[in-house]
Amino acid sequence: MSRVPLRPLARILDARAKGGDPDAIERENKQQRNEAMRDRARVQAEGRLLVLAVLFFVAFGTVGVRMGMLAGAEVAEPRGQTAGAEIAATRADITDRNGRLLATNLTTHALYAQPPLMVDPERAAAELVEIFPDLDADRLVRDFTGSRKFLWIKKKISPEQLQDVHDIGDPGLLFAPRDMRLYPNGAVASHVLGGARFGQEGVHAAELVGVAGIERAFDDRLRDPGQAGEPLMLTLDLTVQSAVEHVLAGGMQLMNAKGAAAILMEVHTGEVVALASLPDFDPNERPNPPTSGAPSDSPLFNRAVQGLYELGSTFKVFTSAQALDLGLVDPATMVDTTGPIKWGKHKINDFHDYGRELSVTDVIVKSSNIGTARLAQMIGTERQRAFLEQLGLTKPTGIELVEAKGSTPLLPSNWSELSTMTISYGHGLSASPLHLAAAYATITNGGTKVTPTVVRKGPVAPGPRVLSPQSSAITRDMLRQVVSRGTASFGEVEGYAVGGKTGTADKPKPRGGYYEDKVLATFASIFPAHDPKYVLVVTLDEPVETTGSEPRRTAGWTAVPVAAEIIRRVAPLLGLRPEIEPAGPMGVTLTSN
């Protein structure tokens, strides 16, 4: 910066020429310079004060606004913070085919503690034990007075318990919001629904994760926030499911059975209307998986889907249907039933002596092992195996339950001629009751393949043809005769023309061989037999009917009466009206080859 000289030469010379004082000029210039510097300093100071004033105004304004927001906010407990992404806690509802709730969410709370905030840990521990008797007071005191900064106390508490904890008044006891999975019908359809548990957990939310059944099979779909408002609709009918379970439980108790299973399925679509397995459980309080013993001893075991059993004489219908379809026999063809049939050291016998021969129809009606084995010999091993594969009896059913994926039928390692004969009457091949229900639906609906499903998907297209309509109609007539004059006479339900086949199989021992006094009794039925709408399979594990002088274990005495009572209860619920049974073999004219 350039400055004006305090003693400018021109003015000095001029002053001297006129007799003036040159020093006055210097004093005047110095005064002007000082005034200019003072003005600049004053302007700078005023600017600084203005900036400080603005800053103080903004700061105090921010504090005032925040205080106003806090004063107007709802009072809430302080929350602990957790790192990580936000937890998605939404989960879609599950309903039956009529839109009735099977599974939904319920808002509740979890209880946790922050020991550094606690005022009186010993008193808080003592009062918590009074509210939750399963807690350990000494352990709580150790946790509250130790080095821990955070601990969960209860993952789910009721509103009443929340209020009781709140009344303790300790600031270190805090609540975390939760959406828990609620099954409003308790144990009804428990093996289909499976259950859910808490997965990733935070203070502000916890995700719900499916652990079994439909909840696990459709876990991604149920957890998708984009579909949270769209319920997953199942094929089950809640009313029918409840009735089936109720009757099955009573039949299981009456027949002194260890366990039981039932499947009610639409014969044309494969839609499962009811699926029950007993013993069952409440998915609201799902028990832990067993750590010892047989899996089937646990109530978590789904006998209808996971249980692989030799299903006995219920398989005989598959043999006769195939023989009919191949043109090897007709219903009146006589079959040699003299026995026993010997194959190496093995013998095939009948439960009763049926004489030298029976018609194909009577082989099924009277349930002749020897007659069925003769038919299997006509069919041959390769054709038998191919037919059973078409029926879906050699692979998992494909139903949308995670438990079904591991339920592959147990086949003989060497499918010999002996295997062909024993499999023809239900021994040597183990399948689930669900496999059996799907196969019966296939051979009685006109002969088109059925794949079981528990998820409502709209119209179901017919599957590939497995059996001709004529052979299917003859098979339905045979099944009807089994009930009207054969081994399933207790299966009659007036007005509903039940058809079906009994099966009583000795239970295998874990280390080989068979028990002499333990059986698996099964009744596979259709109704109405002349125009089937539904197939019902009932299986009882180790039943014993004791009303007579001697214990009776066969399916005709155990599984059949239970199935008949189920049909009697559910047929009206399904909209089926009792009707007079049509005369004759359901419109099928039988001719000899």
Side-chain angles (χ1 to χ4, degrees), residues 375-396:
L375 294 177
Q377 286 179 313
M378 297 181 197
I379 294 169
T381 300
E382 294 304 320
R383 290 194 294 191
Q384 180 197 53
R385 182 166 188 165
F387 184 66
L388 295 180
E389 286 178 355
Q390 287 181 291
L391 290 176
L393 291 169
T394 61
K395 55 189 175 184

Side-chain angles (χ1 to χ4, degrees), residues 265-268 311-320 364 391-393 433-450 467 472 475-476 478-480 482 499-503 522-527 532 534-537:
M265 177 190 298
E266 293 184 354
V267 297
H268 295 285
L311 294 168
S313 297
T314 57
F315 267 46
K316 290 176 180 175
V317 174
F318 305 141
T319 305
S320 64
I364 300 302
L391 290 176
L393 291 169
L434 183 63
H435 281 95
L436 187 66
Y440 263 68
T442 297
I443 66 170
T444 59
N445 68 5
T448 56
K449 178 72 169 65
V450 161
L467 200 67
S472 178
T475 298
R476 294 196 296 268
M478 289 181 175
L479 292 174
R480 176 63 187 133
V482 172
K501 184 71 187 79
T502 55
T522 302
F523 182 49
S525 59
I526 58 171
F527 61 98
Y534 299 94
V535 57
L536 172 67
V537 171

